[in-house]
Amino acid sequence: MDDIRIKEVGSFHIGGRKATLAGLPKYQAQIAQNAPPREVDPNGEFWVEQMYAQYIKLAEPKSKYPILFWHGGGLTGACWETTPDGREGWQMYFLRQGYDVYVSDAVERGRASWARYPEIFATEPVFRPYEQAWELFRLGKKYHSDPDKREVFAGVRFPTNLFDKLMMQAVPRWSSNNAATQRAYDEYVEKAGPCIIIVHSQGGAFAAQAAINNPDKVKALVFIEPTGAPAAKKEDLRKIAHIPHLYLWGDYLDQSPYWSTRPEAAATSYYLGVDKYRRALEVEGVDVTWFVLPETGIYGNTHAIYQDSNSNEIASAVDSWLTEKGLK
């Protein structure tokens, strides 16, 4: 591959607020190895609910706008950097295609850090176990702790022998921080925009709402299997009629209770919930491309399309779509 010339690498934290804790008991803790215990006072002022973003800017970008990569639930921006089998991730792929790129960790994740609960975060963290991740990411029919006994979908493109690598990326998430996360993302778009957002899973609803809140800053939205969408009014959707939307969906959708495309699964299906939002967008004249990969002859993709073995093929299709929309 050709070398790329980098102009700048940097990062910033954005969003959040100052919080004050008082009345909590002090305690003794050994802070440093082989050092004596000392008193810890958990009271005082703290900055909380911030998010983190790293950017890489090219010396000669080909795209008019940078790409902001947003991760899904229980993950961090690390998911865009390198695939589980060690290949370059979408961060590097799109740099090579001429885009400046930003990769972020949302509120409570990774380098954004988290805060005490229940004093600041209202609930305890939620941790995703292996079995749930196996089903949610649609790697096979049945998970087993013994890799030789797992039921893997035929033709699956995720390297299931490296499932541990995916689980190493997992971090706790909270069920009570959506409002704070949305505020931080809105500030992020305001700072980084005009921009293109490529977003996975849980981040989809935040990205869709950020576009409604900053319609002059978001130039395109690329959703990789989003798990939610805003409860937007018609006037909100009309604000974003000029923003092209691309939705990418993988394989095995009807073989997972999380993702079924069958009408009887509407109460529990992420897919059908987002499809309802898509139809509302189309009614208001929004340019929507709904790309179900198996319907185009591309089989075997999981919920982690951007980490599957054909990730570069899908990234190339996204790049072509962005070019077609006049964004490069």
Side-chain angles (χ1 to χ4, degrees):
M1 293 184 179
D2 295 334
D3 290 335
I4 56 176
R5 294 179 58 236
I6 303 297
K7 179 178 70 174
E8 183 181 0
V9 177
S11 64
F12 55 86
H13 285 81
I14 194 166
R17 61 187 175 88
K18 185 184 288 186
T20 301
L21 295 178
L24 296 171
K26 300 176 183 179
Y27 60 93
Q28 295 287 319
Q30 186 179 30
I31 303 299
Q33 187 176 6
N34 297 322
R38 70 175 181 84
E39 184 179 76
V40 176
D41 184 352
N43 302 288
E45 293 183 329
F46 303 88
W47 196 269
V48 300
E49 298 173 353
Q50 69 276 19
M51 66 176 295
Y52 168 88
Q54 181 195 66
Y55 58 84
I56 303 176
K57 297 182 179 180
L58 297 169
E60 298 178 352
K62 298 176 183 177
S63 173
K64 301 174 185 177
Y65 307 109
I67 291 177
L68 277 53
F69 287 105
W70 296 12
H71 59 74
L75 296 171
T76 72
C79 66
W80 302 104
E81 295 173 0
T82 306
T83 64
D85 56 2
R87 294 175 295 110
E88 292 179 352
W90 277 24
Q91 177 192 47
M92 194 65 188
Y93 182 91
F94 281 91
L95 276 169
R96 293 191 185 282
Q97 305 313 308
Y99 298 85
D100 293 342
V101 299
Y102 289 64
V103 173
S104 55
D105 293 346
V107 173
E108 82 197 17
R109 316 289 177 82
R111 286 176 283 185
S113 191
W114 50 279
R116 284 183 65 109
Y117 59 88
E119 293 86 4
I120 297 173
F121 290 178
T123 57
E124 67 180 23
V126 177
F127 295 81
R128 178 177 292 150
Y130 267 62
E131 184 173 6
Q132 184 189 72
W134 182 267
E135 295 177 357
L136 178 64
F137 279 78
R138 302 195 309 279
L139 305 184
K141 291 183 178 180
K142 187 176 180 180
Y143 172 77
H144 196 285
S145 58
D146 182 347
D148 293 332
K149 296 180 180 179
R150 294 172 188 168
E151 294 184 20
V152 179
F153 286 136
V156 70
R157 291 181 181 267
F158 186 89
T160 55
N161 62 312
L162 298 174
F163 185 42
D164 287 348
K165 298 292 185 182
L166 176 63
M167 295 307 294
M168 287 178 190
Q169 298 180 37
V171 295
R173 59 188 291 186
W174 275 257
S175 61
S176 51
N177 289 338
N178 284 355
T181 301
Q182 188 67 60
R183 286 192 297 269
Y185 269 134
D186 289 347
E187 287 190 44
Y188 178 34
V189 170
E190 183 67 28
K191 178 180 177 67
C195 61
I196 298 161
I197 300 175
I198 297 181
V199 58
H200 178 231
S201 198
Q202 183 211 17
F206 296 125
Q209 188 64 54
I212 292 170
N213 296 343
N214 296 276
D216 59 324
K217 298 292 186 181
V218 178
K219 300 303 178 182
L221 289 165
V222 178
F223 298 93
I224 300 173
E225 296 207 348
T227 57
K233 300 176 182 179
K234 288 180 177 289
E235 52 266 34
D236 292 330
L237 302 183
R238 289 171 189 151
K239 292 180 185 177
I240 58 174
H242 62 290
I243 302 175
H245 289 52
L246 171 62
Y247 288 86
L248 293 171
W249 300 95
D251 209 339
Y252 319 110
L253 290 168
D254 278 347
Q255 299 185 57
S256 166
Y258 294 100
W259 299 102
S260 179
T261 62
R262 295 173 297 219
E264 60 269 25
T268 56
S269 170
Y270 294 140
Y271 179 95
L272 291 173
V274 177
D275 187 39
K276 181 179 178 181
Y277 180 73
R278 162 238 188 150
R279 296 181 188 282
L281 289 170
E282 291 176 334
V283 168
E284 302 307 322
V286 180
D287 177 2
V288 179
T289 302
W290 192 260
F291 196 11
V292 181
L293 296 177
E295 294 178 1
T296 68
I298 301 174
Y299 300 97
N301 283 106
T302 69
H303 184 48
I305 291 172
Y306 57 95
Q307 294 190 347
D308 289 339
S309 62
N310 63 338
S311 59
N312 283 356
E313 177 185 353
I314 309 303
S316 177
V318 172
D319 182 34
S320 296
W321 182 84
L322 292 170
T323 302
E324 175 189 324
K325 300 302 177 183
L327 298 172
K328 183 178 176 184

